[in-house]
Amino acid sequence: MDPTRRSPSPCSSRTPSPRTPPCGEMLGYVGIEAVLDQLKIKAMKMGFEFNIMVVGQSGLGKSTMVNTLFKSKVWKSTPPGLGGPTPQTLKLQSVTHVIEEKGVKLKLTVTDTPGFGDQINNDKCWDPILGYINEQYERYLQEEILITRRRHIPDTRVHCCVYFVPPTGHCLRPLDIEFLQRLCQAVNVVPVIARADSLTLEERETFRRRIQHNLRTHCIDVYPQKCFDEDVNDKILNSKIRDRIPFAVVGADREHLVNGRCVLGRKTKWGIIEAVENMTHCEFPLHERPADPSHLQDLKDITHNVHYENYRVFRLNQSHVLPRGPGWVNLAPVPASSPVIPRSSKVPGRVQEDSEEKF
Amino acid sequence: MCVATSKPKFQNEELRNLSLSGHVGFDSLPDQLVNKSTSQGFCFNILCVGETGIGKSTLMDTLFNTKFESDPATHNEPGVRLKARSYELQESNVRLKLTIVDTVGFGDQINKDDSYKPIVEYIDAQFEAYLQEELKIKRSLFNYHDTRIHACLYFIAPTGHSLKSLDLVTMKKLDSKVNIIPIIAKADTIAKNELHKFKSKIMSELVSNGVQIYQFPTDEETVAEINATMSVHLPFAVVGSTEEVKIGNKMAKARQYPWGVVQVENENHCDFVKLREMLIRVNMEDLREQTHTRHYELYRRCKLEEMGFKDTDPDSKPFSLQETYEAKRNEFLGELQKKEEEMRQMFVMRVKEKEAELKEAEKELHEKFDLLKRTHQEEKKKVEDKKKELEEEVNNFQKKKAAAQLLQSQAQQSGAQQTKKDKDKKKRWFCSR
């Protein structure tokens, strides 16, 4: 990890103190920076949570991808029963694991969406997914507004949604565009080109440019969002990442011998595609940095400070039509499709303080 | 890679422990968290409660190695008031927004019954501000300047005997609202053997009166040991000084007396170093967390319950906050309407009354007018009659006058004739002679 790299966060750094404070020059060492260690110890003791959702048609390598990402058998990658009937509705499946690395405990929840885009008529196939995302926000909100709250509210909100684009080589399909448009307003979306080993490098580049163009035309704001760049450093780093979106990934969970090294890869008749180590074969390491470990905290922050707050505003404004909800497990019917939330509230630093309406 | 210990079930899903086959990289998560906090900066607010002149400002200066500008307070304040000042300190890459709140005039009044009230009100006001922000619909909690008091340093006067009743009362009122750390101020006035007795007396008094002071956390292996050893020395006997005295061949913060030098950072002389360790270097984060998760939550719970919100109703079916709010709002609106109705009715009634009054007055006026008219008529008639009489008289008079004049003129004529006749007569007489 690059220690000098600061994770971009949407929170603005300082607010002016109530009075003009004199900047004290301290004449000696006080020990304030020990608070950082205290923070670290506390964080490690509590553990971290991260929820990731993978969306894409079946056969694009979602489960394999997740296994590769977390270097463990998160999912058994099962081929869908080809002879059996495809499920009529989209059923989301979640699996939770606790993984530990160097004393840091991470509770990882992966939600899969089997059957997405598999039907003949895929109209409104995003509704169950949006419903699931909103349901998690609702859960958190219900916990937050209790009178006697828990010390630590369990966070099941989806922090990152990885969208697998099939490698057609042309451009985004209408289904992709529809889905991405709706989802970007509710959750952090990271699009990836799935099964990138079926595209040559040039094809990959053209495909990528076209997708970027599509995204811009339809105003789809994927992670890292431009509006949250805090300073010049962030802009530079993030624009480098944005240049490479969507990342082309190859998932592999078998190990092969290449040049005497044992690497994860896919073996074909014409060569071995190295899934992780080799940058030209698969953009996994680059993908790894922005979408995963270094940016985990940032993803969580944006989810908490932006998406969740948007949901909360919408929900509280709607409270007068809320039917009685008997507890937080049996929720009142949440609108399946997420409402078109005004984009103006997306940037947290510029949230208007005019509505002082208390709920 | 190591396998994690099993965790309790999360909902109905199995929580499996996975073994990692390679380096994933999320062990940098704590660092990311720390980086985020560093860029945001930290807030820390200390409340200093103690009598005037007990050394609060000096101690703050010594603790943070800075000269915070302040003038010493006078002793004739009419009441206790709180003065808050904020400073921005920076050490390596950590920025700290420090707010120091002073109780000015504490213990100076003759009647100290209400001394604790401004302090409690101030603390509650900070909680209230945070609660308001949290309850807003469009809120921005992540860049909210947190003004809640994280630690309260209570300065005990070094009498050597026991706690004053003012101290006990004040601490009792504050212990459920803030983390109290009692310290003995100006500890260089107490001898060593007295100090030990004084400390145990204070602690036993606190316990017997049920005052809950801040307990240094002992559940974390890294800090449990140091916290446990330090807790034994509570309350810390401190000496503050910003002046430096040459000791040996270095300069150190100390107080110079004719009989010796009291070094602030010498652990044999006072507990200043322990206080600094506990307050800043070891437990600052824990103080902040306790304030947020314990004291603030307690305040929030009480406040919301006071406003009438509940989590479950008598049928033990949980309410939703919005719903209760809705019900309250309707109730309020209903009341408002009722009041409006009442006011309207009262207004109508008043208007009627006034109208009746006015009508009465009008009638009276009419009557008066009629009366006046009649009177006027009568007077007029009288006057006319009188006028007629007068005219008649005048006529009579004129007639008489005319008659009189006539007579007079006749008389004159005849007189003149008579005179002439007389004259003639006389002449003839004379002539006849």
Side-chain angles (χ1 to χ4, degrees):
Chain A
M1 290 309 126
D2 187 4
T4 57
R5 198 194 164 284
R6 269 178 32 189
S7 57
S9 57
C11 344
S12 72
S13 17
R14 340 180 176 186
T15 47
S17 295
R19 308 180 185 212
T20 48
C23 212
E25 302 116 35
M26 295 195 298
L27 312 166
Y29 180 69
V30 175
I32 298 175
E33 58 178 12
V35 74
L36 296 179
D37 291 323
Q38 299 167 25
L39 208 60
K40 221 187 264 192
I41 294 172
K42 247 189 188 57
M44 305 234 315
K45 179 174 159 208
M46 215 160 55
F48 293 89
E49 291 167 313
F50 195 71
N51 308 318
I52 191 171
M53 179 189 263
V54 285
V55 183
Q57 292 175 295
S58 26
L60 283 181
K62 303 191 293 288
S63 318
T64 321
M65 185 69 240
V66 173
N67 286 347
T68 322
L69 205 57
F70 288 96
K71 299 231 173 37
S72 39
K73 279 241 178 279
V74 180
W75 284 106
K76 305 187 288 295
S77 41
T78 47
L82 292 168
T86 45
Q88 287 307 300
T89 53
L90 190 51
K91 269 204 153 41
L92 289 99
Q93 294 170 356
S94 285
V95 164
T96 309
H97 295 283
V98 174
I99 39 184
E100 184 176 335
E101 191 175 60
K102 293 204 186 127
V104 178
K105 293 198 196 66
L106 176 68
K107 187 164 101 180
L108 175 72
T109 305
V110 181
T111 311
D112 197 0
T113 54
F116 175 77
D118 283 342
Q119 279 85 39
I120 295 175
N121 181 4
N122 283 316
D123 201 20
K124 297 223 188 311
C125 64
W126 47 81
D127 276 353
I129 297 177
L130 283 177
Y132 176 82
I133 293 175
N134 285 336
E135 193 186 314
Q136 307 315 308
Y137 287 145
E138 181 68 27
R139 245 180 226 174
Y140 194 88
L141 181 67
Q142 292 293 336
E143 285 274 355
E144 200 192 20
I145 62 179
L146 283 179
I147 305 278
T148 328
R149 303 198 279 211
R150 290 202 236 181
R151 207 170 175 110
H152 175 67
I153 302 176
D155 192 356
T156 53
R157 304 170 290 186
V158 177
H159 298 131
C160 175
C161 176
V162 183
Y163 187 75
F164 285 74
V165 177
T168 59
H170 295 168
C171 61
L172 287 178
R173 304 165 302 159
L175 171 65
D176 301 332
I177 293 175
E178 272 297 316
F179 184 80
L180 284 172
Q181 266 181 333
R182 282 155 203 276
L183 236 67
C184 276
Q185 295 175 341
V187 74
N188 299 318
V189 178
V190 178
V192 297
I193 301 175
R195 286 194 176 270
D197 50 339
S198 62
L199 297 171
T200 63
L201 286 177
E202 296 84 15
E203 283 170 357
R204 207 191 275 179
E205 272 313 304
T206 355
F207 191 27
R208 196 199 311 275
R209 298 285 158 227
R210 281 215 204 95
I211 292 183
Q212 283 174 356
H213 179 72
N214 282 144
L215 293 175
R216 268 197 300 270
T217 327
H218 294 277
C219 306
I220 299 173
D221 209 5
V222 300
Y223 180 82
Q225 289 95 337
K226 256 208 185 96
C227 40
F228 299 143
D229 281 341
E230 274 203 327
D231 50 28
V232 189
N233 292 338
D234 286 346
K235 275 207 183 70
I236 296 175
L237 284 158
N238 285 346
S239 48
K240 272 198 216 139
I241 295 169
R242 271 184 228 123
D243 200 46
R244 311 299 304 160
I245 285 177
F247 307 102
V249 294
V250 176
D253 48 5
R254 295 244 180 94
E255 288 196 343
H256 304 273
L257 256 149
V258 173
N259 296 339
R261 290 177 304 142
C262 217
V263 290
L264 284 169
R266 290 168 61 77
K267 185 165 176 185
T268 61
K269 283 217 158 65
W270 48 89
I272 295 180
I273 302 155
E274 291 168 47
V276 182
E277 306 293 314
N278 198 323
M279 269 284 287
T280 46
H281 292 200
C282 157
E283 281 152 26
F284 190 86
L286 186 60
H287 170 226
E288 181 183 50
R289 235 167 283 147
D292 283 79
S294 304
H295 284 238
L296 286 176
Q297 188 59 43
D298 190 36
L299 284 163
K300 287 173 65 164
D301 284 341
I302 296 183
T303 309
H304 180 69
N305 293 329
V306 180
H307 297 299
Y308 170 68
E309 289 293 320
N310 280 345
Y311 178 80
R312 182 175 173 274
V313 168
F314 160 71
R315 199 81 168 115
L316 293 182
N317 277 331
Q318 201 204 30
S319 70
H320 57 278
V321 298
L322 174 70
R324 187 190 199 127
W328 65 270
V329 177
N330 237 346
L331 292 176
V334 174
S337 61
S338 132
V340 180
I341 296 161
R343 298 284 287 190
S344 61
S345 60
K346 188 113 191 228
V347 182
R350 294 172 220 153
V351 161
Q352 301 301 324
E353 293 269 323
D354 50 9
S355 76
E356 293 261 313
E357 207 182 319
K358 293 181 267 285
F359 87 94
Chain B
M1 288 286 134
C2 42
V3 177
T5 52
S6 64
K7 285 262 160 85
K9 278 197 196 296
F10 173 68
Q11 285 182 273
N12 296 325
E13 292 146 9
E14 272 180 24
L15 214 62
R16 288 159 39 194
N17 303 315
L18 286 186
S19 44
L20 296 175
S21 54
H23 175 78
V24 180
F26 62 82
D27 55 339
S28 68
L29 262 173
D31 291 318
Q32 290 173 42
L33 187 62
V34 162
N35 279 341
K36 178 196 100 170
S37 305
T38 322
S39 63
Q40 264 185 305
F42 292 90
C43 271
F44 196 61
N45 309 317
I46 305 182
L47 170 68
C48 294
V49 182
E51 301 167 354
T52 317
I54 207 168
K56 305 188 282 289
S57 312
T58 317
L59 186 67
M60 287 296 113
D61 286 351
T62 324
L63 256 178
F64 291 100
N65 263 333
T66 335
K67 192 89 179 71
F68 299 124
E69 308 117 37
S70 57
D71 319 304
T74 62
H75 283 264
N76 42 14
E77 296 273 343
V80 177
R81 65 186 169 86
L82 283 98
K83 199 164 68 157
R85 286 162 317 183
S86 292
Y87 305 94
E88 291 221 0
L89 304 174
Q90 174 136 10
E91 193 173 79
S92 57
N93 59 340
V94 179
R95 269 181 301 122
L96 182 72
K97 278 191 226 66
L98 178 72
T99 305
I100 298 181
V101 186
D102 245 327
T103 51
V104 179
F106 189 75
D108 275 336
Q109 295 80 37
I110 294 176
N111 180 2
K112 297 185 264 236
D113 274 341
D114 293 337
S115 291
Y116 69 88
K117 284 200 187 132
I119 306 178
V120 170
E121 275 168 15
Y122 182 83
I123 297 175
D124 278 346
Q126 308 317 307
F127 283 147
E128 183 65 33
Y130 191 85
L131 184 65
Q132 294 297 329
E133 182 65 33
E134 199 186 29
L135 289 181
K136 273 196 202 161
I137 294 196
K138 274 210 185 123
R139 60 189 189 181
S140 52
L141 275 180
F142 46 84
N143 57 3
Y144 177 76
H145 176 63
D146 191 5
T147 51
R148 300 173 292 183
I149 304 288
H150 300 124
C152 171
L153 290 177
Y154 197 94
F155 288 70
I156 300 171
T159 57
H161 296 169
S162 60
L163 283 174
K164 300 194 188 149
S165 43
L166 172 67
D167 293 339
L168 276 170
V169 165
T170 313
M171 279 207 261
K172 194 84 183 78
K173 293 277 177 196
L174 293 178
D175 68 354
S176 59
K177 295 197 176 284
V178 74
N179 302 314
I180 298 185
I181 302 176
I183 56 180
I184 301 174
K186 298 202 171 177
D188 50 349
T189 53
I190 310 183
K192 214 168 177 132
N193 49 350
E194 286 176 2
L195 187 63
H196 189 70
K197 265 194 286 180
F198 190 32
K199 279 190 184 182
S200 27
K201 189 85 205 307
I202 291 178
M203 292 308 280
S204 62
E205 277 201 338
L206 288 175
V207 164
S208 60
N209 280 291
V211 175
Q212 290 176 359
I213 57 172
Y214 174 69
Q215 302 295 326
F216 298 118
T218 44
D219 48 0
E220 195 69 50
E221 321 87 51
T222 38
V223 298
E225 206 188 303
I226 188 170
N227 278 338
T229 38
M230 293 292 185
S231 309
V232 171
H233 294 274
L234 274 175
F236 297 124
V238 294
V239 175
S241 169
T242 44
E243 278 148 20
E244 304 210 330
V245 171
K246 195 164 175 111
I247 298 164
N249 51 354
K250 359 180 245 166
M251 301 293 280
K253 289 194 284 258
R255 286 176 66 77
Q256 175 125 53
Y257 289 107
W259 47 89
V261 177
V262 178
Q263 292 161 37
V264 168
E265 294 188 340
N266 186 333
E267 295 214 41
N268 288 331
H269 291 199
C270 73
D271 295 329
F272 174 79
V273 173
K274 296 195 182 72
L275 174 67
R276 189 174 57 191
E277 279 292 309
M278 289 289 98
L279 186 64
I280 302 175
R281 296 191 188 166
V282 179
N283 295 314
M284 198 196 279
E285 185 54 31
D286 187 65
L287 283 163
R288 281 155 41 106
E289 194 185 312
Q290 290 284 330
T291 308
H292 181 68
T293 53
R294 202 147 67 94
H295 301 293
Y296 170 69
E297 287 294 317
L298 182 65
Y299 175 81
R300 178 178 176 272
R301 188 163 56 230
C302 293
K303 196 69 198 297
L304 290 179
E305 275 174 8
E306 201 183 282
M307 294 211 288
F309 293 109
K310 291 191 288 287
D311 268 341
T312 60
D313 72 352
D315 306 315
S316 70
K317 266 168 52 166
F319 263 127
S320 70
L321 207 55
Q322 295 106 300
E323 204 182 283
T324 324
Y325 173 71
E326 242 350 276
K328 278 210 152 258
R329 199 162 132 222
N330 290 337
E331 204 188 300
F332 178 69
L333 281 176
E335 263 189 42
L336 212 72
Q337 264 189 326
K338 225 173 40 174
K339 276 217 178 120
E340 225 180 298
E341 267 307 306
E342 268 178 48
M343 280 179 58
R344 193 174 297 144
Q345 287 202 357
M346 207 162 67
F347 180 71
V348 165
M349 213 170 62
R350 282 246 190 96
V351 164
K352 278 206 183 114
E353 275 179 33
K354 204 66 189 220
E355 218 180 322
E357 264 180 52
L358 283 175
K359 278 218 170 91
E360 277 282 327
E362 203 183 346
K363 216 165 73 173
E364 261 179 62
L365 271 175
H366 273 298
E367 279 179 20
K368 254 202 200 163
F369 181 67
D370 285 338
L371 188 66
L372 269 176
K373 206 159 148 192
R374 269 202 306 268
T375 327
H376 173 70
Q377 297 274 34
E378 280 174 27
E379 293 275 316
K380 195 166 171 190
K381 213 167 85 171
K382 275 198 203 146
V383 167
E384 296 257 314
D385 289 344
K386 280 221 171 124
K387 192 171 170 191
K388 268 196 202 130
E389 270 179 48
L390 187 65
E391 272 185 17
E392 261 185 44
E393 270 190 36
V394 166
N395 279 344
N396 287 344
F397 177 71
Q398 294 283 39
K399 277 191 201 147
K400 275 195 187 155
K401 185 176 175 190
Q405 270 190 336
L406 199 64
L407 268 178
Q408 207 181 21
S409 63
Q410 276 183 349
Q412 261 191 340
Q413 255 188 355
S414 62
Q417 271 180 353
Q418 191 66 28
T419 323
K420 206 172 166 198
K421 268 186 195 167
D422 279 341
K423 265 189 189 167
D424 280 340
K425 240 185 189 175
K426 267 186 191 169
K427 253 186 192 173
R428 275 189 261 140
W429 192 77
F430 275 125
C431 286
S432 60
R433 291 210 167 163

